[in-house]
Amino acid sequence: MERFKKITLIILKWSGISLVSILFLMFIIPILFPGTISEQVKIFANKHLSGKLDYKSTRLTFFRHFPSLTVSVDNLVLQGSKPFQNDTLLAAKEVAVGINLKNLIFNREVKIDEIYVTNAYVNVFVNSKGEANYNVYTSKPSGKPSDTTEAGASIKLDLIKFRNCHVKYNDHAARILVDAKGLNYTGKGGLSEDIFDLETDLDIDKVDFSLNRIYYAKQKTLHADLVTRVNTNALTFVLRKNELKINDLPLKFIGFVSILKDGYNLDIQASSEKTTIREMISVLPPQYLDWAKDTKIEGNSNLYFNIKGRFSEPKNLKPRVKVRLLVENGFVSNGKAPVPMNNLNMDLNVDLPSLDTNQLAIDLRKLNFDLGQNNSFRAYVSTKGLDEMMIKADIKGAVNLQTLQQALGLKDIDMRGLMDTNIKSNGIFNLDKKLFPRTNGYINLKNGWLKTKYYPNPIQNINLVANINNTDGTFKSLGVKLNPFSFDFEGNPVFVNADLQNFEDLLYKVKAKGVLNVGRIYRVFAKKGLDLSGLIMADLSLNGRQSYATTGQYSKLDNRGTLILKNIKATTEYLPKSFYIKEGNFQFENEKMWFRKFFATYGKSDFALNGYLLNTINYFIERKGTLHGKFVLNSNYILIDEFMALKNGDNTKKSIEVDYAKIENPKSSGVVIIPKNLDVALEANAKKVEFKGLNLNHLKGLASVNNGEVYLKNTSFDIIGSRMNIDARYQDESPLTANYDVVLKVQDFDVQRAYKEIDMVREMATAAKDVKGIVSLDYKLKGDFDKNMSPIYPSLEGGGIVNLRDVEVKNLKMLSAVGDNIGADAFDNPDMKGVNIETHIKNNLIHVDKFTFKVSILRPSISGTTSFNGLLDLQVRIGLPPGGWIGFPIVVTGTHENPKVKIFSKKGQGIIAALYNKKSNKVIREERRAEKKTRRQQRKDKEAQEQKAKNAEKQINKDLKEK
C-alpha cells in the first residue's frame, strides 16, 4: 500500500509538472515568438496577396482555438483583385491560422496547417465580362527555382473552419446568384497535398439560389455531408460521398467539377429518391410552407437532376441540364374540405441543352387529380424549342373552383365557379413562319367569383366562353372566339366580345365596354411595385381585316370608339422611373388612334401630346411590330438626366442588362435607352430642356424616333444667350454606351460665358479662357458617350470653322511666348477680329488649318496640331512688312501652360495620336509626344522601311510563281 501511494504521488507529481510546463509553454511561446510569426505572416501576405489587406490587431494564443497555437487577425478586410480593388472580398471579425508547433520551436519556421474564419462576409463577384474579384492569391512563377532560404510563411493545410459566415456568390456572366447566410463549414484533409480527400460538414441557415433572376430556392436550410477527391494539379473535384438535405428534402449526388482557365467543366448527377410529397414541398418558397403545415399531404416523390458539360463565356459554351420529377398517389386535404384532392400523379421532364432556351424541351407526361365524382383534371403537355416550338398537348377537366380551394386549404384567396376545359393540340408553333399546331378546344368558366384578403370586395359574375380551332397547322385556319368574357367589379360591369379568324390576315370583330378601377383591381391581387391608381373607361367597336390597313384600304375599316385613361402609372424596363398618365383621351377612327387630350409626367418632366398613332391594331397583332405616329409635343420642362438608364427611381422591373450594369457601375448614370419599336415623328416645343446642368431654352424643331435612334432636324434653342441650330442623331449601344452625330451652327455667342457654362468648350478649347468677345461656330462632330453620358474625347471625329467676329485675346501663353522670343510685346494683345479658324478633330488631336492675323505691323500665320491634353506642335510664320510676303518660321511645342519656342525652325516635335476601340468604347492608348530622333536614326528607319517593302514585293512575286 505504501509503495502504491509512493507511485501515485510520483505520477501526480510529474503530471502536475507536465501540466504546469505545458501551461507555461502556452503562455511563454506567444511571448517568445510574436515578432517572428507576425513578421513572417506579413511577408507572406504582401508576397502572395494582390488585394489590399487591412486589420485592426493580431494575437498569438493557444486559447482561442485550443489546443492549436493560432495567429488571430481581428476585424480583417481584404479587398478584391483588379478591377475590383476598391470592393470588399472578405470582411471577418476574426481570421486565424494554426501554426505547426514543431517547426516553430525547432526550425523557427511558420508552417500554417489550419485556418479559422469567424463572423465573416465573403463577397465573390464575377462581372458581365467574366472578370472575377477573387484572384487575389499570387503564386510564384513556375519557371524559376524556389528559394529555400527565403523568409516567410508556408501553407500545409489539414483543417478549415468557417463559423457564422455570410457567403455571397454573384456571377453576372452566368447570371447565377447564391446567397448563403449562417454558414458553418468544416473541411478536413491533407489540403496541401496534390491529391487528397476533403471531408466536409456544411450547415446553412438560409440559402437563396437564382438563375436569370428566377429564384429556384429562397431561404432554405441546407446540411451537407461530403467527401470530395481534390486534384490540385488539374483543379478537379470528384464528388465521392455527397449527401445534402435542403429543408426536409434529402439529396444525394455524384460527379466531378474541373476548373479551367476560361470557365469550368462538370458532370453532376443528383437524386432524391423514395421521398414523400411533403418533403418535396419543403423546398417551396417560404410563403407556401405555412400552408403546408395545416394541410394533410401524403404520397411519394422522386427527383432526378443532371448537369453536364463545359461552361466558357469567351467560347460561348454552356452545360446541359436535365430534370425529372415524379409524384405518385398524392393526397391533399384540408380539414374544412368536403372532399380531398386525390390520385395526384405527375411525371415532369425538363431538358435544357447548352442552357439554351431555344432548345428547351418540357415533357409533362402526366398530370392528374380528382376532386370527387365528376370533378377531375387530366393533362399531357410536351414542348420542344422556343422560337419554333413543337407542341403536343391533351388537357381535359371539369373542376369546381370552390372545392379545389377548400381541398388545398388556401387561406388568402376565395374562388368560386365551374371551370370546364377540353383542349387537344399537335404541331409546330412559329410566329415568323406563321405556323400554329392543329388545335381544337375550349375553356368555359361560369359564375366565377374571386376575392382575396387584400381587398374587401370581390370580382364577381365572371363568365368566359373561349373557343380555339385550327385545322391545318397554319395561321390561316386559326380561329379564336370570346363570347362572352364579362365580369363585375365595384358595381361596374365589363364586357368583351371577340371573334378572330385567319391570323395570317386577321379578320377581327371586337367589342369592349366598361369602367375599370385599375388601382383597386391591383389591390385585389396585392401586386408589389405596381401601386396603380386610376380609371380605364372603354367603349370600343373594332371591325376589319389586317391587310386593309397595310394596303391602305382604310375605307373598309370600321374601328371606332373611345378609350379614356386617368391617373395611370406605366413603366418600361429601360427607364428608372414611372410615367404617370394624368389624363389620356383616345379616339379610334379606322386606321388611326387619336390622342385628343394627353398629359403625362415623368419625374420632373411633363409632356402634352396631340396627334395620332397609325395602325395600332397591327402593332399588337404582328410579332416585333412597330408603332407609327405623328404628334405635336409641348412641354414646360424636360430633364434629360432622369431618363438615363442607371439613375435611381421607383421602377423595380428593369431589364437584367440594366440591373447588372447598375450593380457593376453604382456611381454611373448610364445613357438614355431608346425603344426599338417606335417610328414616330414629333413637332417639339419645349420651354426648357436641361441636360447635365446645361439649360436649353425655347427649343423648337422636328424630332423623330425610328428603330432605336433619335433624330433632330432643323432644331433650334437658346443657349448661353445665343440661338443655336442643330441637326443630330443619337443611338444607344448598351445601358453604358451610346453614339451620336451632330451638326451645329451658333451665331454670336459670348466666349467667356461658353467657357464657364459648357464643359465641352473647356475641354475642347482650353485657350478660350484667355479670349473675350463674340464668336460664331459652324461645326460637325461624331463620337461616343461614356457610362455617365459624357463625351469620350478620343472618339470624336469631325471639323468646322470658328469665326472670331469681335474678340479680344490677351496674354495667351503660346502667343506671349512667341512675342517674348522675337521681342514683340504686341503678341500679348493681337488683333484677331474677323479671323476664321478651321480645325479637324480625330484621335484626340485637333489639326489647325493655316490662318493669318495681325500683330501691329506683323502678319503671323499659324497651323499645326494640338491635343485635348494640351500638347502643342504648331508652326508659326511671322510675316514682315510690307504685306507679310517675307517672313521667318517659328515652331511652338510643349504644352498650352508651358510652351516652348524655336525661332528659324520649321520642324517641331510630332504628337502620336490616341488609339480608340469603337467596339469596346475604350481608349487603348492616349496621345503622346513623338520621340526625338537623330538624322542617323531617321535614315536607318527609312532604310528599314524600304527593305521591308522590297521583301514584301519579293514574297508576292514568289507566291504568284507558285500558283
Side-chain angles (χ1 to χ4, degrees):
M1 182 62 69
E2 288 182 5
R3 187 179 177 190
F4 176 75
K5 287 181 180 179
K6 201 174 202 180
I7 293 171
T8 302
L9 287 173
I10 291 171
I11 292 172
L12 290 174
K13 176 182 175 182
W14 284 107
S15 297
I17 291 171
S18 299
L19 181 60
V20 170
S21 300
I22 291 170
L23 291 173
F24 175 74
L25 287 173
M26 293 174 70
F27 280 105
I28 198 65
I29 286 175
I31 297 172
L32 292 175
F33 295 99
T36 300
I37 293 174
S38 296
E39 188 62 30
Q40 292 194 28
V41 169
K42 189 177 291 184
I43 290 172
F44 175 83
N46 290 333
K47 185 169 62 176
H48 292 285
L49 295 178
S50 59
K52 182 183 177 183
L53 181 68
D54 194 13
Y55 50 86
K56 183 178 179 181
S57 60
T58 60
R59 297 174 184 271
L60 182 62
T61 178
F62 279 97
F63 298 105
R64 281 200 173 182
H65 300 281
F66 185 83
S68 299
L69 173 63
T70 57
V71 178
S72 297
V73 181
D74 294 336
N75 299 323
L76 177 141
V77 176
L78 175 62
Q79 306 293 96
S81 55
K82 290 183 179 181
F84 309 101
Q85 59 268 32
N86 295 322
D87 299 330
T88 299
L89 172 63
L90 169 65
K93 184 177 180 182
E94 180 203 23
V95 175
V97 292
I99 308 298
N100 186 297
L101 196 57
K102 177 183 175 183
N103 287 87
L104 177 65
I105 294 174
F106 296 104
N107 302 326
R108 298 186 67 85
E109 291 179 347
V110 177
K111 297 289 185 181
I112 298 172
D113 54 12
E114 297 175 349
I115 291 180
Y116 303 87
V117 180
T118 306
N119 295 332
Y121 173 58
V122 182
N123 179 35
V124 179
F125 180 72
V126 182
N127 67 15
S128 301
K129 300 174 184 177
E131 299 169 327
N133 71 339
Y134 53 77
N135 296 316
V136 294
Y137 182 78
T138 306
S139 60
K140 293 180 182 179
S142 58
K144 295 182 180 180
S146 59
D147 183 2
T148 56
T149 64
E150 185 179 23
S154 62
I155 294 179
K156 187 176 181 179
L157 290 176
D158 295 312
L159 176 67
I160 297 177
K161 279 193 176 183
F162 285 77
R163 288 291 174 264
N164 191 30
C165 296
H166 178 189
V167 177
K168 188 174 183 180
Y169 174 77
N170 195 355
D171 189 335
H172 284 183
R175 297 189 173 183
I176 291 174
L177 171 66
V178 179
D179 193 357
K181 298 176 182 177
L183 181 145
N184 294 280
Y185 169 88
T186 301
K188 298 178 181 179
L191 281 73
S192 59
E193 304 295 332
D194 292 340
I195 300 175
F196 63 91
D197 284 342
L198 174 64
E199 298 179 12
T200 298
D201 185 54
L202 174 67
D203 284 289
I204 302 176
D205 293 340
K206 294 179 181 178
V207 63
D208 299 342
F209 170 74
S210 71
L211 176 63
N212 280 329
R213 294 196 302 185
I214 299 173
Y215 277 89
Y216 295 91
K218 192 78 172 174
Q219 295 186 16
K220 301 302 169 193
T221 60
L222 186 146
H223 173 73
D225 184 8
L226 317 174
V227 176
T228 306
R229 172 66 56 86
V230 180
N231 185 331
T232 58
N233 292 324
L235 282 178
T236 300
F237 305 88
V238 180
L239 312 174
R240 304 183 73 185
K241 175 197 172 186
N242 300 279
E243 297 179 358
L244 281 179
K245 193 171 185 181
I246 305 173
N247 279 13
D248 297 327
L249 181 69
L251 190 66
K252 296 181 179 180
F253 58 94
I254 58 173
F256 72 88
V257 178
S258 294
I259 308 299
L260 307 176
K261 184 178 180 181
D262 59 351
Y264 45 84
N265 189 27
L266 48 81
D267 183 0
I268 297 175
Q269 297 180 33
S271 64
S272 180
E273 298 180 286
K274 298 180 181 179
T275 56
T276 66
I277 297 176
R278 179 173 289 279
E279 289 171 333
M280 185 66 67
I281 287 175
S282 73
V283 301
L284 290 175
Q287 58 265 36
Y288 298 105
L289 298 183
D290 288 338
W291 159 78
K293 289 178 183 177
D294 301 327
T295 305
K296 186 178 180 181
I297 302 172
E298 297 176 356
N300 302 316
S301 68
N302 294 279
L303 175 67
Y304 303 93
F305 174 87
N306 174 240
I307 180 168
K308 182 178 182 180
R310 181 175 172 182
F311 179 87
S312 171
E313 188 68 24
K315 295 180 180 177
N316 196 28
L317 297 174
K318 293 181 181 178
R320 182 174 196 159
V321 174
K322 290 184 176 182
V323 180
R324 187 180 187 189
L325 174 61
L326 291 168
V327 174
E328 297 176 341
N329 302 318
F331 177 93
V332 181
S333 179
N334 185 268
K336 298 179 181 179
V339 293
M341 176 184 284
N342 208 354
N343 298 318
L344 173 62
N345 294 279
M346 180 171 65
D347 185 356
L348 174 64
N349 297 263
V350 179
D351 186 9
L352 184 58
S354 300
L355 297 181
D356 181 5
T357 53
N358 282 318
Q359 300 183 59
L360 174 65
I362 298 175
D363 188 5
L364 181 61
R365 297 176 185 174
K366 178 171 56 178
L367 173 62
N368 61 265
F369 61 84
D370 297 334
L371 287 166
Q373 191 175 6
N374 300 322
N375 209 344
S376 62
F377 183 84
R378 306 282 185 274
Y380 161 75
V381 179
S382 175
T383 70
K384 187 174 183 180
L386 195 64
D387 290 339
E388 181 165 307
M389 183 184 293
M390 292 286 300
I391 299 175
K392 190 173 183 181
D394 188 350
I395 302 171
K396 186 176 182 180
V399 177
N400 185 310
L401 296 181
Q402 187 173 21
T403 304
L404 176 64
Q405 175 234 325
Q406 291 174 342
L408 294 176
L410 302 179
K411 300 177 182 178
D412 298 336
I413 188 170
D414 187 1
M415 54 185 180
R416 305 172 192 172
L418 299 175
M419 186 179 73
D420 182 17
T421 182
N422 189 350
I423 299 174
K424 291 183 178 180
S425 184
N426 191 356
I428 299 173
F429 177 73
N430 186 300
L431 285 171
D432 292 328
K433 297 178 181 178
K434 296 189 175 180
L435 300 176
F436 195 92
R438 290 181 177 86
T439 303
N440 185 29
Y442 64 84
I443 299 175
N444 292 343
L445 175 62
K446 294 182 180 179
N447 300 319
W449 197 88
L450 178 66
K451 183 179 179 297
T452 69
K453 70 174 185 178
Y454 307 106
Y455 193 73
N457 298 327
I459 303 171
Q460 53 191 350
N461 297 325
I462 306 171
N463 288 281
L464 171 65
V465 178
N467 291 274
I468 183 169
N469 185 61
N470 185 287
T471 57
D472 64 4
T474 68
F475 271 31
K476 190 172 184 178
S477 70
L478 177 60
V480 177
K481 288 185 179 181
L482 292 176
N483 189 18
F485 172 48
S486 62
F487 62 89
D488 292 346
F489 182 64
E490 297 269 300
N492 294 314
V494 177
F495 301 93
V496 178
N497 284 56
D499 186 356
L500 309 176
Q501 301 294 328
N502 185 6
F503 279 66
E504 196 169 287
D505 181 14
L506 185 66
L507 179 65
Y508 57 87
K509 292 181 181 180
V510 179
K511 289 186 178 181
K513 188 173 183 179
V515 177
L516 191 61
N517 190 312
V518 180
R520 293 176 183 176
I521 201 81
Y522 273 103
R523 283 175 60 193
V524 169
F525 299 100
K527 290 289 184 182
K528 293 182 180 179
L530 293 172
D531 226 9
L532 293 185
S533 60
L535 297 173
I536 297 178
M537 291 171 275
D539 188 356
L540 297 174
S541 176
L542 309 175
N543 194 344
R545 186 181 287 276
Q546 183 179 354
S547 60
Y548 294 165
T550 56
T551 58
Q553 301 178 68
Y554 301 131
S555 61
K556 294 184 179 181
L557 294 171
D558 185 16
N559 298 327
R560 48 195 164 82
T562 58
L563 181 67
I564 297 173
L565 308 180
K566 289 188 176 181
N567 299 321
I568 298 295
K569 176 183 175 184
T571 59
T572 170
E573 61 181 357
Y574 296 114
L575 288 176
K577 296 184 178 181
S578 301
F579 273 98
Y580 286 88
I581 302 174
K582 301 293 184 183
E583 186 172 1
N585 193 328
F586 309 98
Q587 185 174 349
F588 288 80
E589 291 183 359
N590 294 334
E591 80 280 9
K592 294 179 180 177
M593 176 182 175
W594 286 94
F595 285 54
R596 295 301 186 191
K597 191 175 182 181
F598 182 90
F599 181 72
T601 61
Y602 176 86
K604 297 178 181 177
S605 305
D606 62 82
F607 306 91
L609 288 174
N610 193 295
Y612 63 83
L613 286 175
L614 188 65
N615 198 15
T616 51
I617 294 174
N618 277 17
Y619 167 74
F620 291 105
I621 295 172
E622 295 173 356
R623 187 187 185 196
K624 300 179 181 178
T626 299
L627 274 176
H628 304 270
K630 188 174 183 180
F631 294 94
V632 174
L633 167 67
N634 291 289
S635 175
N636 292 308
Y637 179 65
I638 299 175
L639 178 58
I640 294 176
D641 302 37
E642 60 187 2
F643 288 85
M644 297 176 190
L646 307 190
K647 287 281 189 176
N648 294 325
D650 62 336
N651 185 8
T652 59
K653 300 294 182 181
K654 298 176 188 174
S655 71
I656 193 167
E657 292 82 8
V658 172
D659 264 352
Y660 280 178
K662 179 65 176 176
I663 293 169
E664 295 174 19
N665 304 271
K667 296 181 180 179
S668 299
S669 64
V671 300
V672 178
I673 297 178
I674 307 301
K676 304 297 186 289
N677 59 346
L678 288 181
D679 179 12
V680 177
L682 296 167
E683 182 183 324
N685 297 280
K687 291 182 179 179
K688 184 178 180 180
V689 177
E690 186 176 343
F691 173 56
K692 302 190 75 170
L694 187 64
N695 293 321
L696 316 178
N697 298 310
H698 306 295
L699 182 145
K700 290 187 177 182
L702 301 177
S704 63
V705 180
N706 187 9
N707 195 29
E709 295 182 275
V710 175
Y711 297 88
L712 296 179
K713 189 174 182 181
N714 298 328
T715 302
S716 62
F717 47 82
D718 293 336
I719 181 172
I720 56 170
S722 302
R723 194 72 181 169
M724 179 179 284
N725 296 280
I726 70 167
D727 291 342
R729 180 200 60 84
Y730 169 89
Q731 180 184 31
D732 63 272
E733 299 169 354
S734 74
L736 297 167
T737 55
N739 62 74
Y740 60 92
D741 301 286
V742 62
V743 178
L744 56 92
K745 294 181 181 180
V746 58
Q747 294 290 327
D748 302 341
F749 70 88
D750 186 295
V751 179
Q752 277 299 299
R753 186 172 173 185
Y755 183 82
K756 292 176 182 177
E757 296 183 21
I758 304 177
D759 292 340
M760 200 168 182
V761 172
R762 287 195 296 275
E763 294 285 347
M764 293 180 62
T766 55
K769 68 178 181 179
D770 298 313
V771 178
K772 294 181 180 179
I774 304 300
V775 305
S776 297
L777 187 67
D778 187 348
Y779 225 84
K780 184 185 292 184
L781 281 173
K782 68 176 182 179
D784 295 332
F785 282 124
D786 66 11
K787 59 186 178 182
N788 289 307
M789 209 162 171
S790 296
I792 302 174
Y793 289 100
S795 74
L796 291 178
E797 293 183 31
I801 297 173
V802 179
N803 174 258
L804 310 181
R805 190 173 72 80
D806 184 11
V807 299
E808 182 181 290
V809 181
K810 282 189 175 182
N811 301 317
L812 185 63
K813 288 186 178 181
M814 188 272 291
L815 292 178
S816 297
V818 172
D820 292 342
N821 277 269
I822 65 172
D825 294 339
F827 272 89
D828 290 337
N829 189 14
D831 182 5
M832 288 192 172
K833 292 181 180 179
V835 171
N836 285 333
I837 302 176
E838 186 170 354
T839 58
H840 305 275
I841 296 173
K842 191 172 183 179
N843 296 328
N844 226 38
L845 300 185
I846 305 169
H847 304 282
V848 184
D849 289 358
K850 183 178 178 180
F851 67 94
T852 304
F853 56 99
K854 296 179 182 180
V855 177
S856 186
I857 61 173
L858 303 176
R859 295 293 182 272
S861 61
I862 298 176
S863 62
T865 303
T866 181
S867 81
F868 287 126
N869 288 337
L871 300 177
L872 297 175
D873 184 30
L874 299 175
Q875 290 76 46
V876 182
R877 180 184 179 276
I878 306 297
L880 302 174
W885 297 334
I886 301 172
F888 59 90
I890 295 176
V891 167
V892 182
T893 58
T895 66
H896 283 295
E897 293 299 320
N898 186 24
K900 297 178 181 179
V901 177
K902 287 176 66 177
I903 305 175
F904 300 111
S905 177
K906 292 184 178 181
K907 187 173 182 181
Q909 187 178 356
I911 305 171
I912 298 176
L915 287 181
Y916 176 74
N917 188 317
K918 291 184 178 180
K919 290 185 177 180
S920 64
N921 298 96
K922 284 188 176 181
V923 179
I924 301 171
R925 181 188 72 202
E926 293 187 354
E927 75 273 20
R928 65 176 185 268
R929 182 68 70 186
E931 295 179 7
K932 289 183 178 181
K933 293 185 178 180
T934 63
R935 290 185 179 179
R936 181 182 178 186
Q937 184 62 46
Q938 291 174 8
R939 188 167 58 250
K940 278 187 175 182
D941 290 347
K942 184 178 180 181
E943 290 172 356
Q945 288 174 357
E946 290 174 350
Q947 186 61 47
K948 190 175 181 180
K950 288 178 182 178
N951 293 338
E953 189 174 353
K954 287 179 180 178
Q955 184 64 43
I956 291 170
N957 293 331
K958 183 180 177 182
D959 294 341
L960 289 172
K961 286 179 181 179
E962 289 177 354
K963 288 182 179 179

